[in-house]
Amino acid sequence: MNNRPIGIFDSGVGGLTVLNAVTKILPKEDIIYFGDTARVPYGNKSKSTIVKFSTDNILFLLRKKVKMVIVACNTASALALDYLQGIFNVPIIGVIEAGAVKALEMSQSKKIAIIGTRSTIASGSYEKAIVKRAKEAKVYTKACPLFVPFVEEGIVKGKTVQRIVEMYLADFKRSDIDVIILGCTHYPLLKNEIAQYLKGVHIVDSATEVAFHAKNVLAAHKSLRYERRRGTQEFYVTDEPRGFMKLATLFLKRQIKKPGVVNV
Ligand code: DGL
C-alpha cells in the first residue's frame, strides 16, 4: 500500500496548485495527476454533471492503483465529494473541509469571506463546513468567474487584474472580515493582488491545507511512503496536451513531462 501513488484530479490545469503543495509537504510520494481538459470548466456546471465527471476521473485513477484520491478541484469537492466517498473504498479527500478548518483557526472575528466559481459558491459547501463548526461565524461569499480565464491567459498581476479584484472584493472591505478563503484552484496565482487589496486580511489557500490533511490521512492509514527518494509524477489529460503543458509551466514554474492522453 505505502508505495502506491497518490491520485490527484482536477477539471484541468488548476489542480497543479494542489500538486505543488503535496510535493512540498509529501516529497517522497509518487503522484498521478489527472486533468479533465476535454471537459473543463466545471465551475459553471450542474451537480449531476460534476458527479458524473468526477466518478469517471476516479475510476481512471483507481486503474492506476492509487492509495488515496485528492479532489483538487473546489467545484468537484463542493458538489461531488459526499457521493464519491459513499461509493468508493479508497480514502478520498477534498479541499473544502481543510480550507474551512484553517479559516476558523486563523479568524479572530469569525467573519470569513469565501471566493470561488459560480457552482462552488452556489453549493454553499464552504459555508456549511464553517457554520457546522462555529455557529457564531458570519460568512460572506462571492463568485469570481473572471479570475479563472485571466489566470489561464497568464494575466495574474497589473492594472486589469487589480480592477477585477476590486470589482469582486469591494463588498468585503465593508464587512470587517479577517480571513478570506481562496476557494478555487486558480486563485493562489492571484494571491499577491488579493493581499494587496485586502491589506491585513489573512489568506487561506485550500491547496496548501489539503496537502497537510492528506499527510494526516495517510499517516492514520499507515500508508506514508518511507523510502529515501524523491517521488515521481505522471500526468494524464483528456484533450491534446500542448495547452496543458504551457500552463503547467505557469503554475509550477518548471516544465513537466508530456502528459498521456486518455479517454474516460
Ligand atoms: N478547478 C476549478 C475549481 O477549483 C476551477 C476551474 C473550473 O471551473 O473547472 O473550482
Side-chain angles (χ1 to χ4, degrees), residues 10-11 40-44 72-75 117 120 148 183-186:
D10 180 50
S11 54
V40 69
Y42 285 11
N44 50 13
C73 180
N74 283 252
T75 309
T117 63
T120 297
V148 166
C184 174
T185 47
H186 291 58

Side-chain angles (χ1 to χ4, degrees), residues 5 22 38 43 81 91 109 124 152 155 196 198 235 254:
V22 173
L81 189 70
S109 67
E152 296 213 346
I155 308 170
Q196 197 67 35
L198 293 177
F235 299 88
R254 64 178 164 90

Side-chain angles (χ1 to χ4, degrees), residues 133-150:
R133 292 178 172 82
K135 285 205 172 43
E136 73 283 15
K138 268 194 150 296
V139 175
Y140 303 84
T141 62
K142 186 85 182 172
C144 305
L146 285 175
F147 282 174
V148 166
F150 265 80

Side-chain angles (χ1 to χ4, degrees), residues 58-76:
I58 294 190
L59 286 170
F60 171 78
L61 289 172
L62 291 179
R63 288 199 288 277
K64 293 281 169 194
K65 305 257 181 298
V66 298
K67 60 183 171 185
M68 160 194 255
V69 174
I70 304 178
V71 183
C73 180
N74 283 252
T75 309

